[in-house]
Amino acid sequence: MPYYRQVGEIPRKRHTQFRQPDGSLYAEELMGIEGFSSESALLYHRGLPTAVVAAEAVDERGRETAPNLPLRPRHFRTGELAFPHGDPGTDAVTGRRLLFGNGDVSICFAVPDVTSPLYRNATGDELCYVQTGSARFETIYGALEVAEGDYVLLPASTTYRVVPRGERPPRLYLVEATGHIGPPRRYLSARGQFLESSPYCERDLRGPTEPLLLEGERVDVLVRHHDGLTRMTYEHHPFDVVGWDGCLYPWVFNIDDFEPITGRIHQPPPVHQTFEGPNFVVCSFCPRKVDYHPDSIPVPYNHANVDSDELMFYVGGDYEARKGSGIGIGSLSLHPSGCTHGPQPGAAEASLGAERFDETAVMIDTFRPLRLGEAATASEDSSYYRSWVRDKPES
């Protein structure tokens, strides 16, 4: 994160004696990225965070992917994905279903109704978008209450679990990176402050405000690494951090706090960028005033993704450019490199004179092709690629 935060009790000087009420030392844990040359946080545990009493590999299925062949635009309906609820139910870790993936990122969906096991992704950062509902993300840094429209950013190797809230299970769109996710560098000063030109700033972000302390012995944590899942059993509960400080911690940003950048003519997708990751970006399309040149065409122009696959998740409002395509709330459209795409037939003319678009969508552009996971195969509308043809023959 671009700014410093302190939560709970810490000593005045780092790496100095900090004692518990019984006189023993608290155990320091430095969480740092890029070795010792980038952001970090210093946490103080009651027990040793190194005390592993058992470890075993966990068999995992459903993470296989297939190429996007034949190459074509595709449409998927996440509302058609099944998530068993009740006993034993679905959790946000073991119950997530893989939609897409490549060597840089995996994109999943989950609709949990039970608390997840403790989990740590050591492969990279995770970004979770809450489409609907609410949940509590409990982490070693403290708890985060999240609801519809929230992005939750979890740094690599953060131990956490997800507790669903409310009457209906939350719908979670999950991005698993193989590196780090953060605000675009062009939004930040040389020392990490958000610039005046950024569409959001520090005031829009929420982080943990107090420690989360739980008791427990021989506690299991699922750990994801590049080669798969391991179940590690710890001597003490990892939620034993009495205090921490630093610039590396989980945080929340709500999509409604993104301030759209508009112009006299249609603005390109980079003005919507919200996050960047290893070989991918995440953009937020929000309700906004649209182009105000007297001859403007508010919907996008046809464009070819020469270097990227474009994945759009439609989460609210009425997406003008896709009218007549079958796309609705909860839909995902995949427009891959090698295919020109644009508004549906008639959308450009219909948009003339519009002053505002009431639409909300989360877009991910990847700079390597996305492969299809089992959840994509299970939810595809196979006729979508013909939706630009006025007379749609059967394939």
Side-chain angles (χ1 to χ4, degrees), residues 9-11 18-20 24-31 41-51 120 139-141 157 159 212-213 234 236-244:
E9 298 179 75
I10 61 172
F18 182 35
R19 296 194 176 274
Q20 304 192 44
S24 62
L25 289 171
Y26 285 109
E28 282 187 313
E29 179 189 10
L30 181 70
M31 291 275 288
L42 194 56
L43 299 86
Y44 293 87
H45 292 264
R46 289 172 171 171
L48 289 175
T50 52
R120 179 189 311 141
T139 82
I140 55 172
Y141 297 89
S157 286
T159 303
L212 176 62
L213 296 169
Y234 283 85
H236 304 286
H237 201 295
F239 292 170
D240 66 346
V241 175
V242 298
W244 60 270

Side-chain angles (χ1 to χ4, degrees), residues 358-381:
D358 180 20
E359 60 191 27
T360 307
V362 175
M363 186 178 80
I364 301 174
D365 274 7
T366 65
F367 297 102
R368 287 202 284 181
L370 284 171
R371 294 168 62 88
L372 307 181
E374 60 82 19
T377 303
S379 60
E380 184 172 10
D381 164 16

Side-chain angles (χ1 to χ4, degrees), residues 88-232:
T90 295
D91 70 72
V93 172
T94 65
R96 58 183 68 173
R97 297 183 63 178
L98 181 66
L99 286 160
F100 313 98
N102 62 23
D104 304 311
V105 63
S106 296
I107 300 166
C108 304
F109 205 81
V111 186
D113 66 327
V114 297
T115 300
S116 75
L118 292 168
Y119 178 63
R120 179 189 311 141
N121 189 339
T123 303
D125 293 356
E126 292 190 350
L127 180 69
C128 175
Y129 179 80
V130 183
Q131 180 194 355
T132 59
S134 59
R136 175 180 166 95
F137 279 67
E138 297 182 343
T139 82
I140 55 172
Y141 297 89
L144 296 164
E145 298 288 346
V146 303
E148 182 174 331
D150 278 337
Y151 289 105
V152 187
L153 199 153
L154 297 151
S157 286
T158 297
T159 303
Y160 75 93
R161 67 183 178 188
V162 181
V163 182
R165 300 284 214 189
E167 295 181 0
R168 295 187 177 182
R171 302 183 66 82
L172 307 178
Y173 186 52
L174 298 136
V175 179
E176 304 170 353
T178 58
H180 302 301
I181 303 171
R185 282 165 286 184
R186 70 179 186 276
Y187 292 173
L188 304 175
S189 73
R191 290 186 171 85
Q193 182 179 4
F194 280 98
L195 299 172
E196 282 293 300
S197 55
S198 170
Y200 64 100
C201 73
E202 290 87 352
R203 296 186 188 187
D204 300 317
L205 312 183
R206 313 194 310 270
T209 57
E210 61 184 9
L212 176 62
L213 296 169
L214 297 179
E215 300 290 339
E217 296 180 352
R218 300 187 68 86
V219 176
D220 290 339
V221 178
L222 281 178
V223 180
R224 179 174 300 284
H225 204 258
H226 293 275
D227 293 324
L229 275 181
T230 297
R231 181 180 293 106
M232 291 186 174

